[in-house]
Amino acid sequence: MSLRSFALLSFCVLLAACSKVNQENYAKLSAGMPKAEVETLLGKPTDCSGALGMSSCTWGDKNSFISVQYAGDKVLMFSGQGLK
């Protein structure tokens, strides 16, 4: 393996290990938490949708994700799957 390939592989592993979509951050979520605080914790969501003052945002992918539902700008409920 070339040095360049090794460096690229190491970088990819490091990014995966530093993902904000993890059990530790999931445990920090709570009902009533402001949306801005959630985004400080998890970063920019992968996807958001909503209407009439309700919204749902997801971080991660189909295998490992955190989903947060908001009423206004406060967490109503949240769920996660595949978190490490």
Side-chain angles (χ1 to χ4, degrees), residues 31-45:
M33 181 181 279
K35 191 174 194 175
E37 191 173 335
V38 174
E39 291 184 0
T40 297
L41 180 65
L42 299 175
K44 183 179 177 184

Side-chain angles (χ1 to χ4, degrees), residues 52-84:
L52 301 173
M54 304 293 288
S55 62
S56 177
C57 294
T58 304
W59 290 259
D61 57 38
K62 67 179 183 172
N63 298 316
S64 178
F65 65 84
I66 295 174
S67 179
V68 178
Q69 289 72 45
Y70 298 98
D73 76 335
K74 303 285 185 189
V75 173
L76 182 61
M77 59 186 170
F78 52 93
S79 62
Q81 179 177 309
L83 305 174
K84 296 179 183 176

Side-chain angles (χ1 to χ4, degrees), residues 12-33:
C12 291
V13 169
L14 181 62
L15 282 179
C18 294
S19 173
K20 292 183 175 191
V21 179
N22 58 48
Q23 187 63 45
E24 182 181 348
N25 285 340
Y26 180 80
K28 294 176 183 176
L29 296 173
S30 63
M33 181 181 279

